[in-house]
Coordinates of all heavy atoms in Angstrom, one line a residue:
M18 N 80.1 99.5 120.3 CA 80.9 98.8 119.2 C 81.9 99.9 118.7 O 81.6 101.1 118.5 CB 80.0 98.4 118.1 CG 80.7 97.7 116.9 SD 79.7 97.4 115.5 CE 79.7 98.9 114.6
S19 N 83.1 99.4 118.4 CA 84.1 100.2 117.7 C 84.7 99.5 116.6 O 84.6 98.2 116.5 CB 85.2 100.7 118.7 OG 85.9 99.6 119.2
F20 N 85.3 100.2 115.7 CA 85.8 99.6 114.4 C 87.3 100.0 114.4 O 87.7 101.2 114.4 CB 85.1 100.2 113.3 CG 85.5 99.6 112.0 CD1 84.8 98.4 111.5 CD2 86.6 100.1 111.2 CE1 85.2 97.9 110.2 CE2 86.9 99.5 109.9 CZ 86.1 98.4 109.5
T21 N 88.3 99.0 114.5 CA 89.7 99.3 114.4 C 90.3 98.9 113.1 O 90.0 97.8 112.6 CB 90.4 98.5 115.6 OG1 89.8 98.9 116.8 CG2 91.9 98.8 115.6
H22 N 91.1 99.8 112.5 CA 91.7 99.7 111.2 C 93.2 99.6 111.5 O 93.7 100.6 112.0 CB 91.3 100.8 110.4 CG 92.0 101.0 109.0 ND1 91.8 100.0 108.0 CD2 92.9 101.9 108.6 CE1 92.6 100.4 107.0 NE2 93.2 101.6 107.3
I23 N 93.9 98.6 111.0 CA 95.3 98.5 111.2 C 95.9 98.2 109.8 O 95.5 97.3 109.1 CB 95.7 97.3 112.1 CG1 95.0 97.5 113.5 CG2 97.2 97.2 112.3 CD1 95.0 96.3 114.3
V24 N 96.9 99.1 109.4 CA 97.6 98.8 108.1 C 99.1 99.0 108.3 O 99.5 99.8 109.1 CB 97.0 99.8 107.1 CG1 97.2 101.3 107.5 CG2 97.6 99.6 105.7
T25 N 99.9 98.2 107.6 CA 101.3 98.4 107.6 C 101.7 98.5 106.1 O 101.1 97.9 105.2 CB 102.0 97.2 108.3 OG1 101.7 96.0 107.6 CG2 101.7 97.1 109.7
F26 N 102.8 99.3 105.9 CA 103.3 99.5 104.6 C 104.7 99.1 104.5 O 105.5 99.3 105.4 CB 103.2 101.0 104.2 CG 101.9 101.6 104.2 CD1 101.5 102.4 105.2 CD2 101.0 101.3 103.2 CE1 100.2 103.0 105.3 CE2 99.6 101.8 103.2 CZ 99.3 102.7 104.2
S27 N 105.1 98.6 103.4 CA 106.6 98.3 103.1 C 106.9 99.1 101.8 O 106.1 99.0 100.9 CB 106.8 96.8 102.8 OG 108.1 96.5 102.5
W28 N 107.9 100.0 101.9 CA 108.3 100.8 100.8 C 109.2 100.1 99.8 O 110.1 99.3 100.2 CB 109.0 102.0 101.3 CG 108.3 102.8 102.4 CD1 108.7 103.2 103.5 CD2 106.9 103.3 102.4 NE1 107.9 103.9 104.2 CE2 106.7 104.0 103.6 CE3 105.9 103.2 101.4 CZ2 105.5 104.6 103.9 CZ3 104.7 103.8 101.8 CH2 104.5 104.5 103.0
K29 N 109.0 100.4 98.5 CA 109.9 99.9 97.5 C 111.1 100.7 97.3 O 112.0 100.4 96.6 CB 109.1 99.7 96.2 CG 108.6 101.0 95.5 CD 107.8 100.7 94.3 CE 107.1 101.9 93.7 NZ 106.3 101.6 92.6
T30 N 111.0 102.0 97.8 CA 112.0 103.0 97.7 C 112.4 103.5 99.1 O 111.6 103.4 100.0 CB 111.7 104.2 96.8 OG1 110.7 104.9 97.4 CG2 111.3 103.7 95.4
E31 N 113.5 104.1 99.2 CA 113.8 104.7 100.6 C 113.5 106.2 100.5 O 113.9 106.9 101.4 CB 115.3 104.5 100.8 CG 115.7 103.1 101.0 CD 117.1 102.8 101.4 OE1 117.8 103.8 101.8 OE2 117.6 101.7 101.3
H32 N 112.7 106.7 99.5 CA 112.5 108.0 99.4 C 111.0 108.4 99.9 O 110.7 109.6 99.6 CB 112.6 108.5 97.9 CG 114.0 108.2 97.3 ND1 115.1 108.9 97.8 CD2 114.4 107.3 96.5 CE1 116.2 108.4 97.2 NE2 115.8 107.4 96.4
A33 N 110.5 107.6 100.5 CA 109.1 107.9 101.1 C 109.3 109.0 102.2 O 110.2 108.8 103.0 CB 108.4 106.7 101.6
D34 N 108.6 110.0 102.1 CA 108.7 111.0 103.1 C 107.7 110.8 104.3 O 106.6 111.2 104.3 CB 108.3 112.4 102.5 CG 108.6 113.6 103.4 OD1 108.8 113.4 104.6 OD2 108.7 114.8 103.0
E35 N 108.3 110.0 105.2 CA 107.5 109.5 106.3 C 107.0 110.7 107.3 O 105.9 110.6 107.9 CB 108.2 108.4 107.1 CG 108.4 107.2 106.3 CD 109.2 106.1 106.9 OE1 110.1 106.5 107.7 OE2 109.0 104.9 106.7
T36 N 107.8 111.7 107.4 CA 107.4 112.9 108.2 C 106.2 113.5 107.5 O 105.2 113.9 108.2 CB 108.6 113.9 108.4 OG1 109.6 113.1 108.9 CG2 108.2 115.1 109.1
A37 N 106.2 113.8 106.3 CA 105.1 114.4 105.5 C 103.9 113.5 105.7 O 102.7 114.0 105.9 CB 105.5 114.8 104.1
L38 N 104.1 112.2 105.5 CA 103.0 111.3 105.6 C 102.3 111.3 107.0 O 101.0 111.5 107.1 CB 103.4 109.9 105.2 CG 102.3 108.8 105.3 CD1 101.1 109.0 104.5 CD2 103.0 107.4 104.9
T39 N 103.1 111.2 108.0 CA 102.6 111.3 109.4 C 101.8 112.6 109.6 O 100.7 112.6 110.1 CB 103.8 111.2 110.4 OG1 104.4 109.8 110.1 CG2 103.2 111.2 111.8
T40 N 102.4 113.7 109.3 CA 101.9 115.0 109.5 C 100.6 115.1 108.7 O 99.5 115.6 109.3 CB 102.8 116.1 109.0 OG1 104.0 116.0 109.8 CG2 102.2 117.5 109.1
A41 N 100.5 114.6 107.5 CA 99.2 114.7 106.7 C 98.1 113.9 107.3 O 97.0 114.4 107.4 CB 99.5 114.3 105.3
L42 N 98.5 112.6 107.7 CA 97.4 111.8 108.2 C 96.9 112.3 109.6 O 95.7 112.3 109.8 CB 98.0 110.3 108.4 CG 98.2 109.5 107.2 CD1 99.0 108.3 107.5 CD2 96.8 109.2 106.5
L43 N 97.8 112.8 110.4 CA 97.3 113.3 111.7 C 96.5 114.6 111.6 O 95.5 114.8 112.3 CB 98.6 113.6 112.6 CG 99.3 112.3 113.1 CD1 100.4 112.7 114.0 CD2 98.3 111.4 113.9
A44 N 96.9 115.5 110.6 CA 96.1 116.7 110.4 C 94.7 116.3 109.9 O 93.7 116.9 110.3 CB 96.8 117.5 109.4
L45 N 94.6 115.3 109.0 CA 93.3 114.9 108.6 C 92.4 114.4 109.7 O 91.3 114.8 109.8 CB 93.5 113.8 107.4 CG 92.2 113.1 107.1 CD1 91.2 114.0 106.4 CD2 92.5 111.8 106.1
V46 N 92.9 113.4 110.4 CA 92.0 112.8 111.4 C 91.6 113.8 112.5 O 90.5 113.6 113.1 CB 92.6 111.5 112.1 CG1 92.8 110.5 111.0 CG2 93.8 111.8 112.8
R47 N 92.3 114.8 112.7 CA 91.9 115.9 113.7 C 90.7 116.6 113.2 O 90.0 117.2 114.1 CB 93.0 116.9 113.9 CG 94.1 116.3 114.7 CD 95.2 117.4 115.1 NE 96.4 116.8 115.6 CZ 97.6 116.6 115.0 NH1 97.8 117.2 113.8 NH2 98.5 116.0 115.7
T48 N 90.3 116.5 111.9 CA 89.2 117.2 111.4 C 88.0 116.3 111.3 O 86.9 116.9 110.9 CB 89.5 117.8 110.0 OG1 89.6 116.7 109.1 CG2 90.7 118.6 110.0
L49 N 88.1 115.0 111.6 CA 87.0 114.1 111.3 C 86.3 113.7 112.6 O 86.9 113.4 113.6 CB 87.6 112.8 110.6 CG 88.3 113.0 109.3 CD1 88.9 111.7 108.8 CD2 87.4 113.7 108.3
P50 N 85.0 113.6 112.5 CA 84.3 113.0 113.7 C 84.4 111.5 113.7 O 84.7 110.8 112.8 CB 82.7 113.4 113.3 CG 82.7 113.4 111.8 CD 84.2 113.9 111.4
G51 N 84.2 111.0 115.0 CA 84.2 109.6 115.2 C 85.6 108.9 115.2 O 85.6 107.6 115.2
V52 N 86.7 109.6 115.3 CA 88.0 109.0 115.4 C 88.3 109.0 116.9 O 88.6 110.1 117.5 CB 89.1 109.8 114.6 CG1 90.4 109.1 114.8 CG2 88.7 109.9 113.2
D53 N 88.4 107.8 117.5 CA 88.6 107.7 118.9 C 90.0 107.6 119.2 O 90.6 108.0 120.3 CB 87.9 106.5 119.5 CG 86.4 106.5 119.4 OD1 85.9 107.7 119.3 OD2 85.7 105.5 119.3
L54 N 90.9 107.0 118.4 CA 92.3 106.9 118.6 C 93.0 106.7 117.1 O 92.5 106.1 116.3 CB 92.6 105.6 119.4 CG 94.1 105.2 119.4 CD1 94.8 105.9 120.5 CD2 94.2 103.7 119.7
Y55 N 94.1 107.4 117.0 CA 94.8 107.3 115.8 C 96.3 107.4 116.0 O 96.8 108.4 116.6 CB 94.3 108.4 114.8 CG 94.7 108.2 113.3 CD1 93.9 107.4 112.5 CD2 95.9 108.6 112.8 CE1 94.2 107.2 111.2 CE2 96.3 108.4 111.5 CZ 95.4 107.7 110.7 OH 95.7 107.4 109.4
L56 N 97.0 106.4 115.6 CA 98.5 106.3 115.7 C 99.0 106.1 114.3 O 98.5 105.2 113.7 CB 98.9 105.3 116.7 CG 98.4 105.3 118.1 CD1 98.7 103.9 118.8 CD2 98.9 106.5 118.8
C57 N 100.1 106.7 114.0 CA 100.8 106.4 112.7 C 102.2 106.8 112.8 O 102.5 107.7 113.6 CB 100.1 107.0 111.5 SG 100.2 108.8 111.5
G58 N 103.1 106.2 112.1 CA 104.4 106.6 112.0 C 105.4 105.4 111.5 O 104.9 104.3 111.2
P59 N 106.6 105.8 111.3 CA 107.6 104.9 110.8 C 107.9 103.8 112.0 O 107.8 104.1 113.1 CB 108.8 105.7 110.4 CG 108.7 106.9 111.3 CD 107.2 107.1 111.4
D60 N 108.3 102.6 111.5 CA 108.8 101.6 112.4 C 109.9 102.1 113.3 O 110.8 102.9 112.8 CB 109.2 100.4 111.6 CG 109.6 99.2 112.5 OD1 108.8 98.7 113.3 OD2 110.9 98.9 112.5
A61 N 109.9 101.7 114.5 CA 110.9 102.2 115.5 C 112.3 101.6 115.3 O 113.2 102.1 115.8 CB 110.4 101.9 116.9
G62 N 112.3 100.5 114.5 CA 113.6 100.0 114.2 C 114.2 99.1 115.3 O 115.4 98.8 115.3
V63 N 113.4 98.6 116.2 CA 113.8 97.8 117.3 C 114.1 96.3 117.0 O 115.0 95.7 117.5 CB 112.9 97.9 118.5 CG1 113.2 97.0 119.7 CG2 112.8 99.4 119.0
T64 N 113.3 95.9 116.1 CA 113.3 94.5 115.6 C 113.5 94.5 114.1 O 112.8 95.1 113.3 CB 112.0 93.7 115.9 OG1 111.7 93.9 117.4 CG2 112.0 92.3 115.6
T65 N 114.5 93.7 113.7 CA 114.8 93.6 112.2 C 113.6 92.8 111.5 O 113.0 92.0 112.1 CB 116.1 92.9 111.9 OG1 116.1 91.6 112.5 CG2 117.3 93.7 112.5
G66 N 113.4 93.2 110.3 CA 112.4 92.5 109.5 C 111.0 93.1 109.6 O 110.1 92.6 108.9
N67 N 110.8 94.1 110.4 CA 109.5 94.8 110.4 C 109.2 95.6 109.2 O 110.1 95.9 108.4 CB 109.5 95.7 111.6 CG 109.3 95.1 113.0 OD1 109.4 93.8 113.0 ND2 109.4 95.8 114.0
W68 N 107.9 95.9 108.9 CA 107.5 96.7 107.8 C 107.9 98.2 108.2 O 108.3 98.4 109.3 CB 106.1 96.5 107.5 CG 105.8 95.2 106.8 CD1 106.5 94.0 107.2 CD2 104.9 95.0 105.9 NE1 106.0 93.0 106.3 CE2 105.0 93.5 105.6 CE3 103.9 95.7 105.2 CZ2 104.2 92.9 104.6 CZ3 103.1 95.1 104.3 CH2 103.3 93.7 103.9
D69 N 107.8 99.1 107.2 CA 108.4 100.4 107.4 C 107.5 101.4 108.0 O 108.0 102.3 108.7 CB 108.6 100.9 105.9 CG 109.7 100.1 105.2 OD1 110.7 99.8 105.8 OD2 109.4 99.7 104.1
F70 N 106.2 101.3 107.9 CA 105.3 102.3 108.4 C 104.0 101.7 108.9 O 103.5 100.7 108.2 CB 105.0 103.4 107.3 CG 104.4 104.6 107.7 CD1 105.2 105.7 108.1 CD2 103.0 104.8 107.9 CE1 104.5 106.9 108.6 CE2 102.4 105.9 108.3 CZ 103.2 107.0 108.6
G71 N 103.3 102.1 109.9 CA 102.1 101.6 110.4 C 101.1 102.6 110.7 O 101.4 103.8 111.1
V72 N 99.8 102.2 110.7 CA 98.7 103.1 111.1 C 97.7 102.2 111.9 O 97.4 101.0 111.4 CB 97.9 103.6 109.8 CG1 96.7 104.4 110.3 CG2 98.8 104.4 109.0
V73 N 97.3 102.7 113.1 CA 96.2 102.1 113.8 C 95.2 103.2 114.0 O 95.5 104.3 114.6 CB 96.7 101.6 115.1 CG1 95.6 101.0 116.0 CG2 97.8 100.5 115.0
G74 N 93.9 103.0 113.6 CA 92.9 103.8 113.9 C 91.7 103.2 114.5 O 91.3 102.1 114.0
R75 N 91.2 103.7 115.6 CA 90.0 103.2 116.1 C 88.9 104.2 116.0 O 89.0 105.4 116.3 CB 90.2 102.9 117.6 CG 88.9 102.4 118.3 CD 89.0 101.9 119.7 NE 89.7 100.7 119.7 CZ 90.3 100.1 120.7 NH1 90.2 100.7 121.9 NH2 90.8 99.0 120.5
F76 N 87.8 103.7 115.4 CA 86.7 104.6 115.0 C 85.5 104.2 115.8 O 85.3 103.0 116.0 CB 86.4 104.4 113.5 CG 87.6 104.9 112.6 CD1 88.7 104.1 112.3 CD2 87.8 106.2 112.1 CE1 89.8 104.4 111.7 CE2 88.9 106.6 111.4 CZ 89.8 105.7 111.1
A77 N 84.6 105.2 116.1 CA 83.5 104.9 116.9 C 82.5 104.0 116.2 O 81.9 103.2 116.8 CB 82.7 106.2 117.2
T78 N 82.5 104.1 114.9 CA 81.6 103.2 114.1 C 82.2 102.8 112.8 O 83.2 103.5 112.3 CB 80.2 103.9 113.7 OG1 80.6 105.1 112.9 CG2 79.5 104.3 115.0
Q79 N 81.7 101.9 112.1 CA 82.1 101.5 110.8 C 81.9 102.7 109.8 O 82.8 102.9 108.9 CB 81.5 100.2 110.3 CG 82.0 99.7 108.9 CD 81.4 98.4 108.5 OE1 81.1 97.6 109.4 NE2 81.1 98.3 107.2
D80 N 80.8 103.4 110.0 CA 80.5 104.6 109.1 C 81.6 105.6 109.3 O 82.0 106.3 108.3 CB 79.2 105.1 109.4 CG 78.0 104.2 108.8 OD1 78.3 103.3 108.0 OD2 76.9 104.3 109.3
A81 N 82.1 105.8 110.5 CA 83.1 106.8 110.7 C 84.4 106.4 110.0 O 85.1 107.2 109.4 CB 83.4 107.0 112.2
F82 N 84.7 105.1 110.0 CA 85.9 104.6 109.2 C 85.7 104.8 107.7 O 86.6 105.3 107.0 CB 86.1 103.1 109.4 CG 87.0 102.5 108.5 CD1 88.4 102.8 108.4 CD2 86.6 101.8 107.4 CE1 89.3 102.4 107.4 CE2 87.4 101.2 106.5 CZ 88.7 101.6 106.4
V83 N 84.5 104.5 107.2 CA 84.3 104.7 105.8 C 84.4 106.2 105.4 O 84.9 106.5 104.3 CB 82.9 104.1 105.4 CG1 82.4 104.5 104.0 CG2 82.8 102.6 105.6
H84 N 83.9 107.1 106.3 CA 84.0 108.5 106.0 C 85.5 108.9 105.9 O 85.9 109.6 105.0 CB 83.4 109.3 107.1 CG 83.5 110.8 106.9 ND1 82.9 111.5 106.0 CD2 84.2 111.7 107.7 CE1 83.2 112.8 106.1 NE2 84.0 112.9 107.1
Y85 N 86.4 108.4 106.8 CA 87.8 108.6 106.7 C 88.4 108.0 105.5 O 89.2 108.7 104.7 CB 88.4 108.0 108.0 CG 89.9 107.5 107.9 CD1 90.9 108.5 108.1 CD2 90.3 106.2 107.6 CE1 92.2 108.1 108.0 CE2 91.6 105.8 107.6 CZ 92.6 106.8 107.7 OH 93.9 106.4 107.6
R86 N 88.0 106.8 105.2 CA 88.6 106.0 104.0 C 88.4 106.7 102.7 O 89.2 106.8 101.8 CB 88.0 104.6 104.0 CG 88.6 103.8 102.8 CD 87.6 102.5 102.6 NE 86.4 102.9 102.1 CZ 85.3 102.2 102.1 NH1 85.4 100.9 102.6 NH2 84.2 102.6 101.6
D87 N 87.1 107.2 102.6 CA 86.7 107.9 101.4 C 86.9 109.4 101.3 O 86.7 110.0 100.2 CB 85.2 107.6 101.1 CG 85.0 106.0 100.9 OD1 85.9 105.3 100.7 OD2 83.8 105.7 101.0
H88 N 87.3 110.0 102.3 CA 87.6 111.4 102.4 C 88.5 111.9 101.3 O 89.6 111.2 101.1 CB 88.1 111.8 103.8 CG 88.0 113.2 104.0 ND1 89.0 114.2 103.5 CD2 87.2 114.0 104.7 CE1 88.7 115.3 103.9 NE2 87.5 115.3 104.6
P89 N 88.2 112.9 100.6 CA 89.1 113.4 99.5 C 90.5 113.6 99.9 O 91.5 113.4 99.2 CB 88.5 114.7 99.0 CG 87.0 114.6 99.4 CD 87.0 113.7 100.7
E90 N 90.8 114.2 101.1 CA 92.2 114.4 101.6 C 92.9 113.1 101.8 O 94.1 112.9 101.5 CB 92.2 115.2 102.8 CG 93.6 115.5 103.4 CD 94.6 116.2 102.5 OE1 94.2 116.6 101.4 OE2 95.7 116.3 102.9
H91 N 92.2 112.1 102.3 CA 92.8 110.7 102.6 C 93.1 110.1 101.2 O 94.2 109.5 101.0 CB 91.8 109.9 103.4 CG 92.4 108.5 103.7 ND1 92.0 107.3 103.1 CD2 93.5 108.2 104.5 CE1 92.7 106.4 103.6 NE2 93.6 106.8 104.4
Q92 N 92.2 110.3 100.2 CA 92.5 109.8 98.9 C 93.7 110.5 98.3 O 94.6 109.9 97.6 CB 91.4 109.9 98.0 CG 90.2 109.0 98.4 CD 90.5 107.5 98.4 OE1 91.1 107.0 97.4 NE2 90.4 106.8 99.5
R93 N 93.9 111.8 98.5 CA 95.0 112.5 98.0 C 96.4 112.0 98.7 O 97.3 111.8 98.0 CB 94.9 114.0 98.3 CG 96.1 114.8 97.7 CD 96.2 116.2 98.3 NE 96.6 116.2 99.7 CZ 97.9 116.0 100.2 NH1 98.9 115.8 99.4 NH2 98.1 116.0 101.5
I94 N 96.3 111.8 100.0 CA 97.4 111.3 100.7 C 97.9 109.9 100.2 O 99.0 109.6 99.9 CB 97.2 111.1 102.2 CG1 97.0 112.6 102.8 CG2 98.2 110.3 103.0 CD1 96.4 112.6 104.2
L95 N 96.9 109.0 99.9 CA 97.1 107.7 99.4 C 97.8 107.8 98.0 O 98.8 107.2 97.7 CB 95.9 106.9 99.2 CG 95.2 106.4 100.5 CD1 93.9 105.8 100.3 CD2 96.1 105.4 101.2
R96 N 97.2 108.7 97.2 CA 97.7 108.8 95.8 C 99.1 109.5 95.7 O 100.0 109.0 94.9 CB 96.7 109.6 95.1 CG 96.8 109.7 93.6 CD 95.6 110.6 92.9 NE 95.4 111.8 93.5 CZ 94.4 112.1 94.3 NH1 93.5 111.2 94.7 NH2 94.1 113.3 94.8
E97 N 99.4 110.5 96.5 CA 100.6 111.3 96.4 C 101.7 110.8 97.3 O 102.9 110.9 97.0 CB 100.2 112.7 96.7 CG 99.4 113.3 95.6 CD 99.0 114.8 95.8 OE1 99.7 115.4 96.7 OE2 98.2 115.3 95.1
L98 N 101.4 110.4 98.6 CA 102.4 110.1 99.5 C 102.7 108.7 99.8 O 103.7 108.3 100.3 CB 102.1 110.8 100.9 CG 102.0 112.3 100.8 CD1 101.6 112.9 102.2 CD2 103.3 113.0 100.4
I99 N 101.7 107.8 99.4 CA 101.9 106.4 99.7 C 102.1 105.6 98.4 O 103.1 104.9 98.3 CB 100.7 105.8 100.5 CG1 100.6 106.5 101.9 CG2 100.8 104.3 100.6 CD1 99.4 106.1 102.6
A100 N 101.2 105.7 97.5 CA 101.2 104.9 96.2 C 102.5 104.9 95.5 O 103.0 103.8 95.0 CB 100.1 105.2 95.4
P101 N 103.2 106.1 95.3 CA 104.4 106.1 94.6 C 105.6 105.2 95.2 O 106.5 104.9 94.5 CB 104.8 107.5 94.5 CG 103.6 108.2 94.7 CD 102.8 107.4 95.7
H102 N 105.5 105.0 96.5 CA 106.6 104.3 97.2 C 106.2 102.9 97.7 O 107.0 102.2 98.2 CB 107.0 105.2 98.4 CG 107.3 106.6 98.1 ND1 108.4 107.0 97.3 CD2 106.5 107.7 98.2 CE1 108.3 108.3 97.1 NE2 107.2 108.7 97.7
L103 N 105.0 102.5 97.5 CA 104.4 101.3 98.0 C 104.9 100.0 97.3 O 104.7 99.9 96.2 CB 102.9 101.4 98.1 CG 102.2 100.2 98.8 CD1 102.6 100.2 100.2 CD2 100.7 100.4 98.7
A104 N 105.5 99.1 98.1 CA 105.8 97.7 97.6 C 104.7 96.8 98.1 O 104.1 96.1 97.2 CB 107.2 97.3 98.1
Y105 N 104.4 96.8 99.3 CA 103.3 95.9 99.8 C 102.6 96.7 101.0 O 103.1 97.5 101.7 CB 104.0 94.7 100.5 CG 104.8 93.9 99.6 CD1 106.2 94.0 99.6 CD2 104.2 93.0 98.6 CE1 107.0 93.3 98.7 CE2 105.0 92.3 97.7 CZ 106.4 92.4 97.8 OH 107.1 91.8 96.9
K106 N 101.4 96.2 101.2 CA 100.6 96.6 102.4 C 99.9 95.5 103.0 O 99.5 94.5 102.2 CB 99.8 97.8 102.1 CG 98.4 97.5 101.3 CD 97.5 98.7 101.2 CE 96.2 98.3 100.5 NZ 95.3 99.5 100.4
S107 N 99.6 95.5 104.3 CA 98.7 94.5 104.9 C 97.7 95.3 105.7 O 98.0 96.4 106.2 CB 99.5 93.7 105.8 OG 99.9 94.4 107.0
V108 N 96.5 94.8 105.7 CA 95.3 95.5 106.3 C 94.5 94.5 107.1 O 94.2 93.4 106.6 CB 94.4 96.2 105.3 CG1 93.3 96.9 106.0 CG2 95.2 97.2 104.5
V109 N 94.2 94.8 108.3 CA 93.2 94.0 109.1 C 92.2 95.0 109.7 O 92.6 96.1 110.1 CB 93.8 93.1 110.1 CG1 94.6 93.9 111.1 CG2 92.9 92.1 110.7
Q110 N 91.0 94.6 109.8 CA 89.9 95.5 110.5 C 89.2 94.6 111.5 O 88.8 93.5 111.1 CB 89.0 96.1 109.4 CG 89.8 97.1 108.5 CD 89.2 97.3 107.2 OE1 88.3 96.7 106.8 NE2 89.6 98.5 106.7
I111 N 89.1 95.2 112.7 CA 88.5 94.4 113.7 C 87.2 95.1 114.3 O 87.4 96.4 114.6 CB 89.5 94.3 115.0 CG1 90.8 93.6 114.4 CG2 88.9 93.5 116.1 CD1 92.0 93.7 115.3
V112 N 86.2 94.5 114.5 CA 84.9 95.0 115.0 C 84.9 94.5 116.5 O 85.0 93.4 116.7 CB 83.7 94.6 114.2 CG1 82.5 95.2 114.9 CG2 83.8 95.1 112.8
E113 N 84.8 95.5 117.4 CA 84.7 95.1 118.8 C 83.3 95.4 119.3 O 82.7 96.3 119.0 CB 85.8 95.9 119.6 CG 87.2 95.7 119.1 CD 88.2 96.7 119.7 OE1 88.4 96.5 121.0 OE2 88.8 97.5 119.1

């Protein structure tokens, strides 16, 4: 069984530092057990109307995801790099 977490963000401002956000998220997941796949970054801009930033994380277990979700560094990233710029987010989680 694996647990996949998919989230997209739409910014309310154009001042979101997507490079810092990508760097911080990737640095965090490299330190965590149970992360099988992790992709994040700004929209490629190929299709109009897309959201601004996306994250796809595949975790070995639901518990590994919860550890990531609740990790203090993840909470700091949410608070400092995402929340100030966030207009909307969508989240879906899939258990395989």
